[in-house]
Amino acid sequence: VLQSSNSLKASYEDWLLTYGLSISPFHMRWQTAVFNRQFYNWGRWKPRFLYLWFSVGMVFGIVAMFGSVILLGKTLMQTLTQMLTEAPNAQNDRMLQVVVSVFSSGLYLRVVPGVNLPVSQLTYFFSAVLISGVIHEVGHGVAAIREQVRFNGFGIFIFIIYPGAFVDLFTTHLQLISPVQQLRIFCAGVWHNFVLGVASFIVLFLLPAILFPFYYTGVGALVTEVAEDSPANGPKGLFVGDLVTNLQDCPVYSVEDWNSCLEDISEKSQVGYCISAATLQQLSFPARVYRRLDGTVECCSNNSLTDICFSYSNNVDSHLYACLPARKVIEASKVCRTNVDCQKDFVPSFCVTPSLENQTRLIRVKHPPHIDMLYVGHPMHLQYTVSLSSFVPRQNFLSIDLPVMIETFCKYLISLSGALAVINAVPCFALDGQWILNSFLEATLSSLIVEKQSRELVGFLILLAGSALLAANVALGLWMVTAR
């Protein structure tokens, strides 16, 4: 609207130029020279160290270029195999699909998760994307100044809702330096992303030691959030601040234990509980037995919120059913698989097992000093609707969310910075891999292939193949997501 106005167009464009802004549909970009002095200070700090630093980065970038091709080729074969199989692997449901967008100011990576991203984690996602992009471009900028290439400015942009960063280098200087110098500059971005990912992994790994003065670990899984629609939400359910120590007979010392216990419970058959014959006769009451649609047996009223149908066997009949009050049966009872597990002190006892629908489990969750929570449902529903932390505050005033925030942010940095390094290393048009490949060919093939046009043709064919490989991964990946 402002550009179409004869009276405002000139002043509007002057205003954009003054503040280094560029605005177009879905894309806003800001460039400044304010940070130039800082970049020059970084680029001139310890020249010998920076030479070694970016030389190692150059080697890494070249290796990453070949490695990314192998990785994309393997991923493509796995995706094609998955498409041809009738029952795909469940673990592939969470694979990351890579989408690359090209703008007038350059090419920037976007990683779109193959599963829904929770709204509560959008801040982590966009912050990690921005920081990964900034660190990537800082690598290019510092390396360029180290190689005596003029640095014009640094900027950030927003495309639709995705943030990113870029550096503006003097192209003529970049073309005049040697291919090896160019390699140090072009590989610096993926090198810095790799270093950022490694640093984030180290912080994540050492987090218990870093937070040891304030938080202790290894005592259970601390509940930090319970979703409103969670089956664990209720007067006898879980509350924020509860410390979970056991799931059935599976001890829980951390969030990892919580997840592995739930996975183990979902994969194995429902456990039973020991109950004496006298108690069984006292608690059970007559009820009509009928089969559900999935073939399982129900013997309690559908309106009951406290009773569960249990199955058991004796020496005569192996398919007996009794409707029993769940809490009275389970509390102070020993977990069992067969009647043999319950034989003690010559007291006649039975191993009664909840008769539930397929994939449904009765899970006893211990969170002392509160009464045990009895959960009936799919174990994964409990996993998805309850958030926990392995870190327990030593003092009441300490936040229970801080360690979770640090953990989550580190994981996003590892994933997104690593993805940025891998994709930018691919020998593909407009990616860093294009310039890495061209400089690599100039540095290695100039004596074998004398004519520059022939070297450029070889590079063009490799870039064409790399672009096709990346495009195939993107297309099939998006197809897999939409098809599901």
Side-chain angles (χ1 to χ4, degrees):
V1 172
L2 293 173
Q3 286 179 337
S4 63
S5 173
N6 294 328
S7 59
L8 298 176
K9 180 180 179 180
S11 58
Y12 170 67
E13 292 179 347
D14 290 341
W15 179 80
L16 291 177
L17 185 63
T18 302
Y19 290 97
L21 291 171
S22 175
I23 299 176
S24 58
F26 310 112
H27 186 211
M28 184 168 67
R29 167 180 167 174
W30 173 67
Q31 181 175 338
T32 182
V34 171
F35 305 106
N36 285 20
R37 182 181 296 274
Q38 184 61 55
F39 270 91
Y40 276 103
N41 290 338
W42 288 337
R44 292 167 180 169
W45 177 76
K46 296 186 180 300
R48 174 165 290 188
F49 170 78
L50 290 180
Y51 172 78
L52 293 174
W53 176 260
F54 289 116
S55 294
V56 173
M58 176 184 67
V59 175
F60 172 80
I62 294 171
V63 173
M65 179 179 63
F66 291 104
S68 64
V69 173
I70 297 173
L71 180 61
L72 285 180
K74 184 179 178 180
T75 303
L76 182 63
M77 295 302 298
Q78 289 178 344
T79 305
L80 289 173
T81 303
Q82 183 183 354
M83 291 173 61
L84 296 175
T85 56
E86 293 183 358
N89 238 339
Q91 65 182 12
N92 290 326
D93 290 346
R94 294 178 177 269
M95 67 180 174
L96 291 178
Q97 309 301 336
V98 178
V99 178
V100 180
S101 305
V102 182
F103 310 120
S104 59
S105 59
L107 186 139
Y108 306 92
L109 171 98
R110 295 292 166 261
V111 179
V112 180
V115 293
N116 293 331
L117 185 68
V119 176
S120 60
Q121 297 193 6
L122 287 178
T123 303
Y124 298 112
F125 178 79
F126 290 121
S127 298
V129 168
L130 179 60
I131 291 176
S132 299
V134 169
I135 295 299
H136 180 99
E137 298 303 330
V138 166
H140 287 312
V142 175
I145 293 172
R146 168 64 183 76
E147 301 300 335
Q148 306 300 316
V149 174
R150 194 174 81 188
F151 182 85
N152 295 327
F154 168 83
I156 59 176
F157 70 90
I158 296 178
F159 178 75
I160 306 178
I161 57 174
Y162 289 95
F166 63 91
V167 290
D168 183 10
L169 306 178
F170 191 54
T171 307
T172 304
H173 284 183
L174 196 58
Q175 293 172 344
L176 292 176
I177 60 178
S178 68
V180 175
Q181 289 177 300
Q182 291 176 355
L183 275 173
R184 293 195 191 101
I185 297 173
F186 295 142
C187 293
V190 297
W191 169 238
H192 274 214
N193 278 132
F194 172 75
V195 171
L196 176 62
V198 171
S200 301
F201 178 80
I202 293 174
V203 171
L204 185 63
F205 181 76
L206 297 178
L207 195 58
I210 295 173
L211 297 179
F212 179 77
F214 310 101
Y215 299 84
Y216 55 89
T217 58
V219 294
L222 184 69
V223 178
T224 59
E225 183 183 2
V226 181
E228 291 184 4
D229 58 344
S230 172
N233 193 2
K236 293 186 179 180
L238 297 176
F239 296 90
V240 173
D242 288 354
L243 191 65
V244 178
T245 58
N246 283 82
L247 290 175
Q248 301 287 42
D249 57 342
C250 183
V252 176
Y253 301 106
S254 64
V255 176
E256 290 73 20
D257 292 336
W258 163 274
N259 293 328
S260 61
C261 286
L262 285 177
E263 184 177 353
D264 188 59
I265 290 172
S266 64
E267 291 177 354
K268 293 181 179 180
S269 58
Q270 173 70 56
V271 298
Y273 302 90
C274 293
I275 183 173
S276 65
T279 305
L280 176 63
Q281 184 177 8
Q282 178 184 0
L283 294 179
S284 62
F285 51 87
R288 185 172 63 89
V289 176
Y290 63 91
R291 291 191 177 275
R292 303 186 186 96
L293 294 177
D294 61 354
T296 57
V297 174
E298 177 60 86
C299 61
C300 289
S301 170
N302 290 333
N303 298 326
S304 176
L305 298 177
T306 59
D307 302 331
I308 290 180
C309 182
F310 288 84
S311 65
Y312 65 99
S313 63
N314 55 23
N315 296 330
V316 180
D317 197 339
S318 60
H319 295 288
L320 296 173
Y321 299 92
C323 184
L324 304 171
R327 188 167 295 278
K328 290 184 179 180
V329 171
I330 293 174
E331 286 183 345
S333 296
K334 177 184 175 183
V335 174
C336 60
R337 292 286 178 181
T338 63
N339 289 340
V340 178
D341 300 331
C342 301
Q343 302 305 320
K344 184 180 179 181
D345 298 331
F346 303 102
V347 177
S349 299
F350 299 103
C351 182
V352 295
T353 304
S355 178
L356 303 171
E357 296 176 281
N358 291 336
Q359 305 302 320
T360 301
R361 298 288 185 271
L362 170 61
I363 305 175
R364 182 182 183 182
V365 182
K366 293 186 177 181
H367 54 127
H370 306 289
I371 188 172
D372 295 349
M373 181 186 77
L374 302 184
Y375 168 82
V376 178
H378 197 289
M380 294 301 103
H381 293 167
L382 186 61
Q383 185 178 22
Y384 292 146
T385 58
V386 178
S387 301
L388 303 105
S389 171
S390 301
F391 297 85
V392 181
R394 294 184 181 273
Q395 302 294 334
N396 293 332
F397 65 86
L398 293 173
S399 171
I400 63 175
D401 296 320
L402 180 60
V404 177
M405 293 170 63
I406 298 175
E407 275 186 319
T408 306
F409 188 60
C410 285
K411 290 176 181 178
Y412 271 97
L413 278 179
I414 294 170
S415 300
L416 296 175
S417 191
L420 192 64
V422 171
I423 299 305
N424 265 283
V426 177
C428 173
F429 291 109
L431 285 172
D432 284 351
Q434 175 183 357
W435 317 114
I436 294 174
L437 176 66
N438 290 338
S439 299
F440 178 75
L441 294 179
E442 287 295 320
T444 56
L445 296 184
S446 56
S447 58
L448 297 176
I449 304 176
V450 180
E451 294 184 2
K452 186 176 180 61
Q453 289 184 343
S454 300
R455 295 196 299 271
E456 289 178 347
L457 179 60
V458 172
F460 174 80
L461 294 176
I462 296 175
L463 288 173
L464 197 63
S467 301
L469 179 63
L470 180 59
N473 273 276
V474 171
L476 291 180
L478 290 177
W479 185 87
M480 291 294 292
V481 173
T482 55
R484 289 175 183 276

